[in-house]
Amino acid sequence: MAFVIPTLSEGRIVLRPIRLRDARNLERSLLDNRSWLRQWEATSPYAPGAFDTRASIRSLLANARAGHGLPFVVEYDGRLAGQLNVSSVTYGSLSSATIGYWIAEEFAGRNITPTAVALATDYCFFQLGLHRMEICIRPENAPSLRVVEKLGFRYEGLRRRYIHINGDWRDHYCFGLVSEELQQGVLRRWMDGEAPEEAATVTAEDRAAAAIPLPVARRH
């Protein structure tokens, strides 16, 4: 089932479908923000570190046509501010998806990211009919951890060496929401000051575990 990628907005913040013609502006933003984004950038253990923005957009759009994702550009006052991708969309007994995103440094601190995440989550719950949304965040990524705190995502546990980031397998904290937890949308709940920030609290045990690398066997 191919997805029609919607345009979603709240005030000065817009999520719109990514397009191939965005490649040049996205690449410029990624290069300009290299030092800001690199430590959180997903990489492949099997491929070189160089990125091809047009190829990435084609892959995202193909994924959307297959019904597995929703790739967005994030805009603020009409300017490209970052990306947000809903990925791993699954129906049936799982009925869930995952959200990932990046925002350029000049747009940080303006509540753009939590607004974008809330808009995408509400769309997935109330328009696509999904049951669960998940966000996984590196323990060191304080700005992203603040996003799930603001929106009341619930902490679900530590995943060891979960995603290949910036050249190595990295631990991630996992946060989730299910549609039954909400009497109103994620965006409305946050804006009304009713999101339970304590839901995203990471346990002391998991903070301690994440501070020590997982022992792994060396391959000969």
Side-chain angles (χ1 to χ4, degrees):
M1 179 183 68
F3 283 145
V4 175
I5 307 168
T7 296
L8 310 170
S9 64
E10 175 63 30
R12 302 159 77 181
I13 299 161
V14 174
L15 286 183
R16 65 158 175 82
I18 198 169
R19 302 182 286 251
L20 266 177
R21 62 179 176 269
D22 293 316
R24 181 174 296 179
N25 288 337
L26 282 169
E27 185 167 319
R28 183 181 301 116
S29 183
L30 287 166
L31 290 171
D32 289 346
N33 288 272
R34 195 69 175 142
S35 60
W36 166 255
L37 296 172
R38 184 169 188 169
Q39 59 185 326
W40 319 121
E41 187 177 84
T43 49
S44 170
Y46 313 111
F51 56 85
D52 183 331
T53 308
R54 289 181 65 84
S56 175
I57 294 173
R58 288 192 186 97
S59 177
L60 290 169
L61 292 174
N63 204 41
R65 287 193 296 272
H68 300 313
L70 293 168
F72 295 100
V73 160
V74 182
E75 292 184 337
Y76 184 77
D77 283 346
R79 298 173 59 203
L80 188 149
Q83 279 182 263
L84 182 146
N85 294 317
V86 178
S87 61
S88 303
V89 176
T90 306
Y91 284 99
S93 58
L94 190 56
S95 192
S96 70
T98 298
I99 290 180
Y101 48 81
W102 64 265
I103 295 292
E105 186 173 13
E106 68 174 298
F107 295 101
R110 306 189 198 186
N111 278 331
I112 296 171
T113 306
T115 301
V117 170
L119 284 168
T121 301
D122 284 345
Y123 183 82
C124 288
F125 280 157
F126 303 122
Q127 300 301 316
L128 297 186
L130 296 183
H131 165 72
R132 182 178 185 277
M133 299 297 290
E134 178 178 286
I135 299 176
C136 293
I137 301 170
R138 283 187 58 184
E140 305 88 352
N141 193 342
S144 275
L145 292 173
R146 185 65 186 128
V147 169
V148 291
E149 288 172 2
K150 288 180 177 181
L151 297 181
F153 272 70
R154 182 173 22 78
Y155 179 62
E156 294 188 332
L158 173 66
R159 297 187 179 181
R160 305 307 303 258
R161 295 175 63 81
Y162 181 55
I163 303 175
H164 204 270
I165 301 286
N166 193 22
D168 202 359
W169 295 105
R170 312 288 184 178
D171 292 350
H172 282 68
Y173 294 144
C174 179
F175 302 86
L177 271 182
V178 296
S179 57
E180 296 89 340
E181 292 179 82
L182 301 163
Q183 292 184 342
Q184 72 273 62
V186 178
L187 182 65
R188 187 77 272 142
R189 185 177 71 164
W190 171 45
M191 290 192 163
D192 288 346
E194 297 177 1
E197 293 193 17
E198 69 280 358
T201 301
V202 178
T203 64
E205 293 81 4
D206 283 353
R207 287 198 303 272
I212 302 172
L214 181 72
V216 293
R218 291 190 177 185
R219 297 180 180 178
H220 299 287

